[in-house]
Amino acid sequence: GFSRSSFPDLASIWLLVDAGIPKETVTTCVDNVVHRLSCDLESVISVETSLYGRTDNVTCSEGTSPDRVSNTHCSLAGVADVVKKRCNGKKVCELSTDVLGGSDPCRNTAKYLQTTYACLPAFHRMTCEHSLSHLSCDQGQVIVVHGADYGRRDQTTCRYGRPANQIQNTACSSPTSKVAESCQGKNSCIIKASNSVFGDPCVGTYKYLEVAYNCQCKWTEPLS
C-alpha cells in the first residue's frame, strides 16, 4: 500500500478553498504520459482528489469500445495520497501513472488519471544545499507549511559553480514532513537544507530545499 501524505490536510487549506479559490482538474487518458499540475504567480498546488480508474462512461471514451468503458466503479486505492505527497506545495508538478506501482484496479477497462486541485496563495522558498531557509510571518501570525521537498527537479536552480554531473539528475525528489514538524505554528523558523536534516535522496547530486508556506492569524483561547 501507499504511505500517508507527508503533509497534513490543514484547516486553513479548506477554508481558503471554500472562500472561493477556483478548483482545477487535469485528466490524462493514457498510461505513462505526463500528468501536469501547475499554478501561476504566488500560489502553490493543493491536491483535493485524485483518481486512477473510471467512474463514468464518457471521460476518455473517444475511440474506445463500449465494453471497455462500461465498468464505472473502478478506482485504485491510495492514489490521492501519492499525488498529494509528490505535488502539494509546488508551483509545477509532473508525474505519470508509473508512480502508482503498476497496479491495475480493473483489467480490460480503459482507465484515466484525474486530479482536482486548488492553487493556494503561498510564499515559495528555494534554499540551496548547506544554506539556511528562513521562514517568517508578521507579528501575531504563525507559519502554515503547505509542502516541502529536498532534492533536485531541474538543472537551473542552485547551479552556480557546480560541475555538470552534480546537477544532471533532475529526478531526485524527496517530499518531507520535517519542515512542518519543525516550523508549523511558529512565528519564525530556521531550517538547514542539508543531508544531516533530510537524509540524502541522491548521492552525488547538489540539492536544494523547496518550501511553500503561508501565514495565518494565531488563534487565541477566549478568556474565561
Side-chain angles (χ1 to χ4, degrees), residues 136-171:
S136 63
C137 293
D138 289 340
Q139 189 172 355
Q141 295 187 325
V142 294
I143 295 166
V144 177
V145 178
H146 294 313
D149 196 325
Y150 180 65
R152 174 165 290 277
R153 292 158 296 285
D154 63 52
Q155 292 189 354
T156 55
T157 303
C158 296
R159 66 166 294 164
Y160 182 81
R162 309 308 302 187
N165 66 336
Q166 289 189 8
I167 61 170
Q168 64 189 14
N169 178 5
T170 59

Short mmCIF file of all heavy atoms in Angstrom, two decimals, residues 136-171:
data_model
loop_
_atom_site.label_atom_id
_atom_site.label_comp_id
_atom_site.label_asym_id
_atom_site.label_seq_id
_atom_site.Cartn_x
_atom_site.Cartn_y
_atom_site.Cartn_z
N SER A 136 9.32 33.16 7.96
CA SER A 136 8.87 34.10 8.97
C SER A 136 7.52 34.69 8.60
O SER A 136 7.15 34.76 7.42
CB SER A 136 9.88 35.23 9.16
OG SER A 136 10.01 35.98 7.97
N CYS A 137 6.78 35.12 9.63
CA CYS A 137 5.48 35.76 9.46
C CYS A 137 5.46 37.07 10.24
O CYS A 137 6.30 37.29 11.12
CB CYS A 137 4.36 34.86 9.98
SG CYS A 137 4.14 33.33 9.01
N ASP A 138 4.50 37.92 9.94
CA ASP A 138 4.33 39.16 10.69
C ASP A 138 3.95 38.85 12.13
O ASP A 138 3.48 37.74 12.44
CB ASP A 138 3.24 40.02 10.05
CG ASP A 138 3.69 40.62 8.71
OD1 ASP A 138 4.92 40.66 8.48
OD2 ASP A 138 2.82 41.01 7.91
N GLN A 139 4.11 39.85 12.98
CA GLN A 139 3.76 39.68 14.40
C GLN A 139 2.29 39.28 14.53
O GLN A 139 1.42 39.81 13.85
CB GLN A 139 4.01 40.99 15.15
CG GLN A 139 3.89 40.87 16.66
CD GLN A 139 4.33 42.14 17.37
OE1 GLN A 139 4.81 43.07 16.73
NE2 GLN A 139 4.16 42.18 18.67
N GLY A 140 2.04 38.31 15.39
CA GLY A 140 0.67 37.84 15.60
C GLY A 140 0.22 36.77 14.62
O GLY A 140 -0.92 36.30 14.68
N GLN A 141 1.11 36.37 13.69
CA GLN A 141 0.78 35.33 12.72
C GLN A 141 1.71 34.13 12.91
O GLN A 141 2.80 34.26 13.46
CB GLN A 141 0.90 35.86 11.29
CG GLN A 141 -0.09 36.94 10.95
CD GLN A 141 -0.03 37.30 9.47
OE1 GLN A 141 1.04 37.28 8.86
NE2 GLN A 141 -1.17 37.61 8.89
N VAL A 142 1.25 32.97 12.43
CA VAL A 142 2.05 31.75 12.55
C VAL A 142 2.17 31.06 11.19
O VAL A 142 1.36 31.27 10.29
CB VAL A 142 1.45 30.77 13.58
CG1 VAL A 142 1.52 31.35 14.98
CG2 VAL A 142 0.02 30.38 13.22
N ILE A 143 3.21 30.24 11.07
CA ILE A 143 3.53 29.54 9.83
C ILE A 143 2.60 28.35 9.61
O ILE A 143 2.35 27.57 10.53
CB ILE A 143 4.99 29.06 9.86
CG1 ILE A 143 5.95 30.26 9.89
CG2 ILE A 143 5.30 28.13 8.70
CD1 ILE A 143 7.39 29.89 10.26
N VAL A 144 2.10 28.22 8.38
CA VAL A 144 1.36 27.03 7.94
C VAL A 144 2.10 26.47 6.73
O VAL A 144 2.17 27.11 5.68
CB VAL A 144 -0.09 27.37 7.54
CG1 VAL A 144 -0.81 26.13 7.03
CG2 VAL A 144 -0.85 27.96 8.72
N VAL A 145 2.71 25.29 6.89
CA VAL A 145 3.50 24.69 5.81
C VAL A 145 2.60 23.89 4.88
O VAL A 145 1.88 23.00 5.31
CB VAL A 145 4.61 23.77 6.39
CG1 VAL A 145 5.40 23.11 5.26
CG2 VAL A 145 5.55 24.58 7.29
N HIS A 146 2.63 24.24 3.59
CA HIS A 146 1.83 23.51 2.60
C HIS A 146 2.58 22.32 2.02
O HIS A 146 1.97 21.34 1.59
CB HIS A 146 1.41 24.44 1.46
CG HIS A 146 0.47 25.52 1.88
ND1 HIS A 146 -0.64 25.29 2.66
CD2 HIS A 146 0.47 26.86 1.63
CE1 HIS A 146 -1.29 26.42 2.86
NE2 HIS A 146 -0.63 27.39 2.26
N GLY A 147 3.90 22.40 1.97
CA GLY A 147 4.67 21.29 1.41
C GLY A 147 6.16 21.61 1.41
O GLY A 147 6.56 22.77 1.46
N ALA A 148 6.98 20.56 1.37
CA ALA A 148 8.43 20.73 1.32
C ALA A 148 9.04 19.52 0.61
O ALA A 148 8.55 18.40 0.75
CB ALA A 148 9.01 20.86 2.73
N ASP A 149 10.09 19.79 -0.17
CA ASP A 149 10.75 18.73 -0.93
C ASP A 149 12.25 19.02 -0.98
O ASP A 149 12.66 20.14 -1.27
CB ASP A 149 10.17 18.67 -2.35
CG ASP A 149 10.49 17.37 -3.07
OD1 ASP A 149 11.58 16.82 -2.86
OD2 ASP A 149 9.64 16.90 -3.84
N TYR A 150 13.07 18.01 -0.66
CA TYR A 150 14.52 18.15 -0.69
C TYR A 150 15.06 17.27 -1.80
O TYR A 150 14.87 16.05 -1.80
CB TYR A 150 15.10 17.72 0.66
CG TYR A 150 16.61 17.83 0.76
CD1 TYR A 150 17.25 19.06 0.70
CD2 TYR A 150 17.39 16.69 0.95
CE1 TYR A 150 18.63 19.16 0.82
CE2 TYR A 150 18.77 16.77 1.07
CZ TYR A 150 19.38 18.01 1.00
OH TYR A 150 20.75 18.11 1.12
N GLY A 151 15.71 17.88 -2.79
CA GLY A 151 16.25 17.11 -3.91
C GLY A 151 16.63 18.03 -5.06
O GLY A 151 17.12 19.14 -4.86
N ARG A 152 16.38 17.57 -6.29
CA ARG A 152 16.62 18.40 -7.48
C ARG A 152 15.63 18.00 -8.56
O ARG A 152 15.52 16.83 -8.92
CB ARG A 152 18.07 18.21 -7.98
CG ARG A 152 18.35 18.94 -9.31
CD ARG A 152 19.83 19.05 -9.62
NE ARG A 152 20.50 19.99 -8.72
CZ ARG A 152 20.52 21.32 -8.89
NH1 ARG A 152 19.89 21.86 -9.91
NH2 ARG A 152 21.16 22.09 -8.03
N ARG A 153 14.93 19.01 -9.09
CA ARG A 153 13.91 18.76 -10.11
C ARG A 153 14.14 19.55 -11.39
O ARG A 153 13.34 19.49 -12.32
CB ARG A 153 12.52 19.04 -9.53
CG ARG A 153 12.16 18.02 -8.45
CD ARG A 153 11.10 18.50 -7.50
NE ARG A 153 11.50 19.65 -6.72
CZ ARG A 153 12.34 19.61 -5.69
NH1 ARG A 153 12.89 18.46 -5.32
NH2 ARG A 153 12.65 20.70 -5.02
N ASP A 154 15.23 20.33 -11.45
CA ASP A 154 15.61 20.99 -12.70
C ASP A 154 17.13 21.23 -12.68
O ASP A 154 17.79 20.97 -11.68
CB ASP A 154 14.85 22.31 -12.88
CG ASP A 154 15.16 23.34 -11.80
OD1 ASP A 154 16.35 23.62 -11.56
OD2 ASP A 154 14.21 23.86 -11.19
N GLN A 155 17.68 21.70 -13.81
CA GLN A 155 19.13 21.91 -13.91
C GLN A 155 19.52 23.37 -13.74
O GLN A 155 20.69 23.73 -13.90
CB GLN A 155 19.64 21.40 -15.27
CG GLN A 155 19.56 19.90 -15.40
CD GLN A 155 20.27 19.39 -16.64
OE1 GLN A 155 20.74 20.16 -17.48
NE2 GLN A 155 20.36 18.07 -16.77
N THR A 156 18.54 24.24 -13.41
CA THR A 156 18.83 25.67 -13.34
C THR A 156 18.89 26.20 -11.91
O THR A 156 19.64 27.14 -11.64
CB THR A 156 17.77 26.46 -14.13
OG1 THR A 156 16.46 26.13 -13.64
CG2 THR A 156 17.84 26.12 -15.61
N THR A 157 18.14 25.61 -10.99
CA THR A 157 18.12 26.09 -9.61
C THR A 157 19.42 25.68 -8.89
O THR A 157 19.85 24.54 -9.01
CB THR A 157 16.91 25.51 -8.86
OG1 THR A 157 15.71 25.87 -9.56
CG2 THR A 157 16.83 26.06 -7.44
N CYS A 158 20.02 26.60 -8.16
CA CYS A 158 21.22 26.30 -7.36
C CYS A 158 22.31 25.61 -8.20
O CYS A 158 22.84 24.57 -7.82
CB CYS A 158 20.87 25.44 -6.15
SG CYS A 158 19.76 26.24 -4.96
N ARG A 159 22.66 26.23 -9.32
CA ARG A 159 23.64 25.59 -10.22
C ARG A 159 24.97 26.34 -10.29
O ARG A 159 25.94 25.82 -10.84
CB ARG A 159 23.06 25.47 -11.62
CG ARG A 159 22.81 26.81 -12.32
CD ARG A 159 22.57 26.62 -13.80
NE ARG A 159 23.77 26.13 -14.46
CZ ARG A 159 23.77 25.58 -15.68
NH1 ARG A 159 22.66 25.44 -16.35
NH2 ARG A 159 24.90 25.15 -16.21
N TYR A 160 25.04 27.56 -9.75
CA TYR A 160 26.23 28.39 -9.94
C TYR A 160 27.50 27.68 -9.44
O TYR A 160 27.58 27.26 -8.29
CB TYR A 160 26.08 29.73 -9.21
CG TYR A 160 27.26 30.65 -9.41
CD1 TYR A 160 27.38 31.41 -10.57
CD2 TYR A 160 28.27 30.73 -8.45
CE1 TYR A 160 28.47 32.25 -10.77
CE2 TYR A 160 29.36 31.57 -8.64
CZ TYR A 160 29.45 32.33 -9.80
OH TYR A 160 30.54 33.15 -9.99
N GLY A 161 28.46 27.52 -10.34
CA GLY A 161 29.75 26.95 -9.98
C GLY A 161 29.76 25.45 -9.73
O GLY A 161 30.79 24.89 -9.33
N ARG A 162 28.64 24.79 -9.98
CA ARG A 162 28.59 23.34 -9.74
C ARG A 162 28.95 22.59 -11.01
O ARG A 162 28.51 22.96 -12.10
CB ARG A 162 27.19 22.89 -9.27
CG ARG A 162 26.60 23.67 -8.13
CD ARG A 162 27.52 23.79 -6.94
NE ARG A 162 27.93 22.51 -6.38
CZ ARG A 162 28.62 22.39 -5.25
NH1 ARG A 162 28.96 23.47 -4.57
NH2 ARG A 162 28.96 21.21 -4.78
N PRO A 163 29.73 21.51 -10.92
CA PRO A 163 30.05 20.71 -12.11
C PRO A 163 28.79 20.06 -12.67
O PRO A 163 27.82 19.80 -11.94
CB PRO A 163 31.03 19.66 -11.58
CG PRO A 163 30.85 19.64 -10.10
CD PRO A 163 30.38 21.01 -9.71
N ALA A 164 28.80 19.81 -13.98
CA ALA A 164 27.61 19.30 -14.67
C ALA A 164 27.07 18.02 -14.04
O ALA A 164 25.85 17.81 -13.96
CB ALA A 164 27.93 19.07 -16.15
N ASN A 165 27.98 17.15 -13.57
CA ASN A 165 27.50 15.86 -13.04
C ASN A 165 26.76 16.01 -11.72
O ASN A 165 26.09 15.08 -11.27
CB ASN A 165 28.66 14.87 -12.90
CG ASN A 165 29.67 15.30 -11.85
OD1 ASN A 165 29.78 16.48 -11.52
ND2 ASN A 165 30.40 14.34 -11.30
N GLN A 166 26.83 17.18 -11.08
CA GLN A 166 26.11 17.38 -9.82
C GLN A 166 24.71 17.96 -10.02
O GLN A 166 23.94 18.05 -9.06
CB GLN A 166 26.91 18.31 -8.89
CG GLN A 166 28.17 17.67 -8.33
CD GLN A 166 28.82 18.54 -7.26
OE1 GLN A 166 28.27 19.55 -6.82
NE2 GLN A 166 30.00 18.13 -6.82
N ILE A 167 24.39 18.39 -11.25
CA ILE A 167 23.06 18.98 -11.50
C ILE A 167 22.26 18.24 -12.57
O ILE A 167 21.15 18.64 -12.90
CB ILE A 167 23.17 20.47 -11.89
CG1 ILE A 167 23.97 20.63 -13.17
CG2 ILE A 167 23.78 21.29 -10.76
CD1 ILE A 167 23.91 22.04 -13.76
N GLN A 168 22.82 17.13 -13.11
CA GLN A 168 22.14 16.47 -14.23
C GLN A 168 20.97 15.58 -13.79
O GLN A 168 20.05 15.35 -14.55
CB GLN A 168 23.13 15.67 -15.07
CG GLN A 168 23.79 14.52 -14.33
CD GLN A 168 24.93 13.90 -15.15
OE1 GLN A 168 25.38 14.48 -16.13
NE2 GLN A 168 25.39 12.74 -14.72
N ASN A 169 20.99 15.11 -12.55
CA ASN A 169 19.90 14.25 -12.07
C ASN A 169 18.73 15.13 -11.62
O ASN A 169 18.76 15.72 -10.55
CB ASN A 169 20.38 13.38 -10.91
CG ASN A 169 19.27 12.50 -10.35
OD1 ASN A 169 18.16 12.46 -10.87
ND2 ASN A 169 19.58 11.79 -9.27
N THR A 170 17.69 15.20 -12.46
CA THR A 170 16.53 16.04 -12.13
C THR A 170 15.33 15.20 -11.68
O THR A 170 14.22 15.70 -11.57
CB THR A 170 16.12 16.91 -13.32
OG1 THR A 170 15.81 16.06 -14.44
CG2 THR A 170 17.25 17.85 -13.72
N ALA A 171 15.58 13.92 -11.44
CA ALA A 171 14.50 13.04 -10.98
C ALA A 171 14.67 12.72 -9.49
O ALA A 171 14.25 11.68 -9.01
CB ALA A 171 14.50 11.75 -11.80
#
